[in-house]
């Protein structure tokens, strides 16, 4: 009996120690605090808050707080519920088993502060090209401090972040400073707030409006305008506000033939082209930031002179002429080089003997010692 009783007593003593778990909840949610024992000889369990105030002693409520309720009370378990949890509820809770001596276990309740939805400030529409602006994104109430990320359209950009503690929560601000230009017009800057309490980030977006001076260019419907065709010129304008109206002119004056030169908005259409239409066409437009213009030089070709593939033949002929000229130059240079290096062989001693009828005579008549002429003789085969 004694041999079996000792282990039973040891097991009962171990089973009488309360067991708890740490709990993490989001602010405003419900926290269930559970304390268990494996073995209890009819001894009561008790929950106390971080201020050591008794919440429940067994099934008896001790603290008047309507948010705290009993879930389950028995000799082996005491579970309580805290509704609408706030940051002030965070801390270390104590479960006590009133044996002799009293056995206690701690459980820490962590409350996550949910960040507020972000706001972007610092931008007044519209901005002028060249202005330096600062966008600031702010979120408050987070615990731990939230993380802020910036995106320019879909590309992440780096901001400058500051964190300030406000009680148990944090206020986080992140700023972007940059000089705007026309490429920022219509660009979306997004502030994204990430936090452990959020399943998806909170986001807010500011779309920039940037005013800038106009820029114009002219597009044309024909590559090679020919007599009898019609030509459409379009004045493509970029600017904010949109530059209007578009004014067309020719050679510095008004359009000469309004019956064939039709202006509709930004387009100028010339019907039945002829040689009198040759000249410089100009479009001009402005907004409150400036004026811009673009020019197009029109030359009307005679279709009979061009032929079906006239421009292509002219190009090919020009290329062939250049190739022939370069080839002739190379031949002339090479000919002169070969002429200077012909196979005429004259030794220093044989100077002045070029007119000899044959090699033997040339050697005999050459300058130098005639006695040794036979030794200097050279024969050409």
């Amino acid at each position: 009996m004694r041999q079996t009783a000792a282990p039973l007593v040891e097991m009962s003593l171990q089973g009488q120690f309360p067991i708890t778990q740490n709990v993490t909840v989001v602010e405003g949610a419900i926290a269930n605090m559970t304390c268990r024992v494996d073995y209890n000889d009819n001894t009561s369990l008790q929950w106390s808050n971080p201020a050591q105030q008794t919440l429940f002693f067994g099934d008896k409520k001790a603290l008047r707080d309507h948010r705290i309720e009993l879930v389950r009370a028995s000799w082996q378990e005491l579970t309580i519920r805290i509704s609408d949890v706030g940051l002030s509820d965070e801390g270390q809770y104590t479960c006590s088993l009133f044996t002799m001596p009293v056995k206690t276990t701690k459980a820490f309740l962590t409350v996550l502060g949910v960040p507020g939805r972000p706001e972007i400030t610092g931008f007044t529409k519209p901005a002028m090209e060249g202005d330096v602006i600062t966008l600031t994104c702010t979120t408050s109430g987070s615990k731990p401090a939230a993380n802020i990320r910036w995106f320019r359209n879909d590309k992440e950009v780096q901001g400058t972040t500051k964190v300030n503690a406000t009680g148990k929560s944090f206020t986080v601000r992140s700023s972007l400073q940059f000089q705007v230009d026309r490429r920022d017009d219509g660009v979306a800057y997004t502030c994204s707030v990430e936090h452990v309490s959020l399943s998806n980030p909170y986001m807010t977006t500011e779309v920039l409006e940037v005013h800038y001076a106009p820029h114009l260019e002219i597009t044309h419907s024909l590559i090679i305008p020919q007599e009898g065709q019609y030509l459409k010129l379009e004045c493509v304008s970029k600017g904010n506000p949109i530059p209007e109206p578009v004014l067309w002119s020719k050679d510095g004056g008004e359009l000469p033939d309004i019956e064939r030169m039709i202006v509709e908005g930004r387009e100028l259409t010339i019907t039945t082209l002829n040689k009198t239409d040759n000249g410089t066409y100009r479009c001009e437009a402005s907004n409150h930031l400036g004026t811009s213009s673009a020019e197009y030089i029109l030359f009307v070709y005679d279709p009979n002179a061009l032929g079906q593939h006239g421009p292509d033949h002219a190009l090919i002929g020009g290329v062939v002429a250049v190739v022939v000229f370069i080839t002739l130059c190379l031949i002339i240079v090479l000919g002169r080089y070969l002429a200077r290096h012909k196979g005429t062989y004259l030794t220093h001693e044989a100077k002045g003997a070029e007119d000899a009828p044959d090699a033997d005579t040339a050697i005999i008549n050459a300058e130098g010692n005639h006695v040794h002429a036979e030794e200097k003789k050279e024969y050409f085969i």
Side-chain angles (χ1 to χ4, degrees), residues 69-295:
E69 301 174 313
L70 179 66
V71 177
R72 186 177 295 105
S74 68
W75 297 115
Q76 292 182 310
E77 178 183 339
L78 179 59
T79 299
I80 62 173
R81 175 186 297 129
I82 306 175
S83 302
D84 193 20
V85 175
L87 296 180
S88 60
D89 294 318
E90 183 176 86
Q92 189 167 262
Y93 288 72
T94 304
C95 176
S96 303
L97 178 64
F98 281 87
T99 57
M100 294 299 291
V102 176
K103 298 180 178 66
T104 62
T105 301
K106 307 293 184 180
F108 199 91
L109 174 61
T110 300
V111 182
L112 302 177
V114 181
R117 292 193 173 272
E119 296 182 358
I120 296 178
T121 58
F123 178 68
T124 303
K125 294 182 179 181
M128 301 299 172
E129 185 173 27
D131 286 353
V132 176
I133 66 172
T134 301
L135 300 180
T136 300
C137 179
T138 304
T139 179
S140 58
S142 60
K143 180 184 163 298
N147 180 47
I148 293 180
R149 299 169 66 190
W150 283 100
F151 295 88
R152 185 185 188 274
N153 289 335
D154 295 327
K155 183 178 180 181
E156 186 171 1
V157 291
Q158 296 300 318
T160 302
T161 302
K162 293 183 179 180
V163 179
N164 296 317
T166 52
K168 288 190 174 183
S169 63
F170 297 90
T171 297
V172 184
R173 292 182 178 85
S174 183
S175 299
L176 281 178
Q177 187 177 74
F178 54 94
Q179 186 176 41
V180 296
D181 59 28
R182 61 189 61 198
R183 292 173 297 179
D184 288 307
D185 186 41
V187 170
Y189 280 87
T190 299
C191 169
S192 174
V193 174
E194 299 174 348
H195 194 259
V196 64
S197 66
L198 303 176
S199 56
N200 294 303
Y202 284 159
M203 293 186 178
T204 187
T205 299
E206 182 74 51
V207 179
L208 301 192
E209 181 183 353
V210 180
H211 282 188
Y212 56 94
H215 173 75
L216 306 182
E217 61 181 25
I218 296 176
T219 62
H220 46 89
S221 60
L222 297 175
I223 298 176
I224 304 173
Q226 301 179 34
E227 289 184 289
Q229 295 179 327
Y230 79 93
L231 173 67
K232 180 180 290 186
L233 302 179
E234 182 179 359
C235 187
V236 180
S237 60
K238 296 180 181 179
N240 190 17
I242 297 174
E244 287 182 330
V246 173
L247 303 177
W248 285 95
S249 61
K250 179 190 176 187
D251 296 330
E254 296 182 354
L255 298 177
D257 191 342
I258 58 174
E259 292 185 357
R260 290 189 308 107
M261 299 180 179
I262 304 169
V263 176
E264 294 180 345
R266 301 178 181 277
E267 294 182 350
L268 167 62
T269 302
I270 306 175
T271 62
T272 318
L273 287 173
N274 59 59
K275 292 289 186 178
T276 63
D277 297 325
N278 291 345
T280 300
Y281 291 80
R282 175 188 178 96
C283 71
E284 182 177 295
S286 61
N287 59 21
H288 68 279
L289 294 175
T291 300
S292 180
S293 63
E295 293 183 346

Side-chain angles (χ1 to χ4, degrees), residues 346-357 361-368:
L346 295 176
T347 65
H348 178 71
E349 294 82 1
K351 290 181 180 178
E354 295 90 338
D355 297 330
T361 306
I363 293 173
I364 294 171
N365 296 335
E367 296 177 359

Side-chain angles (χ1 to χ4, degrees), residues 226-227 275 301-311:
Q226 301 179 34
E227 289 184 289
K275 292 289 186 178
Y301 291 86
D302 184 349
N304 296 323
L306 282 176
Q308 189 173 359
H309 300 288

Side-chain angles (χ1 to χ4, degrees), residues 16-41:
Q16 276 193 297
F17 204 89
I19 301 170
T20 61
Q21 288 184 333
N22 294 332
V23 177
T24 299
V25 295
V26 174
E27 184 181 12
I30 296 173
N32 287 328
M33 310 292 294
T34 299
C35 180
R36 292 188 179 90
V37 290
D38 293 332
Y39 175 79
N40 190 351
D41 54 356

Side-chain angles (χ1 to χ4, degrees), residues 286-362:
S286 61
N287 59 21
H288 68 279
L289 294 175
T291 300
S292 180
S293 63
E295 293 183 346
Y296 171 76
I297 299 176
L298 173 62
F299 183 82
V300 180
Y301 291 86
D302 184 349
N304 296 323
L306 282 176
Q308 189 173 359
H309 300 288
D312 293 339
H313 290 164
L315 179 60
I316 294 172
V319 173
V320 171
V322 171
V323 172
V324 171
F325 176 76
I326 293 174
T327 303
L328 290 175
C329 291
L330 290 176
I331 291 173
I332 293 172
V333 172
L334 182 60
R336 290 185 176 180
Y337 176 82
L338 294 177
R340 290 182 179 181
H341 295 79
K342 283 185 177 180
T344 301
Y345 185 86
L346 295 176
T347 65
H348 178 71
E349 294 82 1
K351 290 181 180 178
E354 295 90 338
D355 297 330
D358 51 48
D360 292 337
T361 306

